[in-house]
Amino acid sequence: MKLISAITGSLLVSSASAFAPASSRASKTSLSAWVDETVVGITAPVGFFDPLGLSRGKTDETMAMYREAELKHGRVAMAACLGWYITAGGVHPAFNSALSSDPLEAMKQLPTVGWLQFVLGCGAVEWLAQQIKARPGYQPGDLLGAAYWVDNSDEGWVDYQNKELNNGRLAMLAFMGIYTQDLFFGDYGDEIFKPLVS
């Protein structure tokens, strides 16, 4: 239970910076320049969303790091939501589907070799991302190098990036809800919000 509480706490803390793209201060600092020039991530109906003021007084490099973190957390959350329901449906890509359909129980039942594969796989992806980030002209989150072919003057590209950010933001919130439902109520499948309708 302590492990689950620690995971929940780290999810909440790590996702806080993902929702802090900028502040709407009127002063002409490097942050306001970043806000004025940034087209991606500032979407209706909220516009700038920084209720905790986490971006106040931050440099362009810090804001780029926040954007990178937001994209990475969003992508992981989208994959986690998909993986949660695949596991809850009884489909396991390994171990002959012998693990529990409850993803939290399956996590406890996963053998050491499974955890080793998971950690090494994540480490390999992180190492590769660090190598890609070292290239000249790198844009936050652009691991495939799309910035070499298209820039933010293309409306279609900006629209695509906004969709990815918004879907990632929603997935971060959704996964926290899914995880909490299973942790506190034991609901993990198609009736995940059963306490709300009962």
Side-chain angles (χ1 to χ4, degrees), residues 25-47:
R25 295 247 170 181
S27 63
K28 290 296 176 189
T29 63
S30 64
L31 176 61
S32 71
W34 187 86
V35 168
D36 293 340
E37 294 171 8
T38 302
V39 183
V40 178
I42 302 166
T43 58
V46 179

Side-chain angles (χ1 to χ4, degrees), residues 102-136:
D102 181 347
L104 292 182
E105 288 301 316
M107 180 180 75
K108 294 176 192 174
Q109 296 170 353
L110 190 65
T112 305
V113 69
W115 280 108
L116 183 63
Q117 289 172 349
F118 176 74
V119 169
L120 290 176
C122 290
V125 169
E126 284 298 315
W127 178 83
L128 183 61
Q130 293 301 319
Q131 302 307 309
I132 292 170
K133 284 176 20 176
R135 71 178 185 231

Side-chain angles (χ1 to χ4, degrees), residues 35-101:
V35 168
D36 293 340
E37 294 171 8
T38 302
V39 183
V40 178
I42 302 166
T43 58
V46 179
F48 295 114
F49 185 73
D50 186 14
L52 301 177
L54 298 174
S55 63
R56 200 171 298 132
K58 301 297 190 278
T59 64
D60 288 346
E61 292 80 23
T62 302
M63 295 306 295
M65 182 191 70
Y66 283 175
R67 176 52 51 88
E68 181 91 30
E70 179 180 26
L71 282 165
K72 185 179 290 185
H73 285 100
R75 289 168 180 164
V76 168
M78 287 186 275
C81 287
L82 177 64
W84 188 278
Y85 285 113
I86 288 174
T87 301
V91 177
H92 301 280
F95 308 107
N96 296 324
S97 294
L99 301 177
S100 171
S101 290

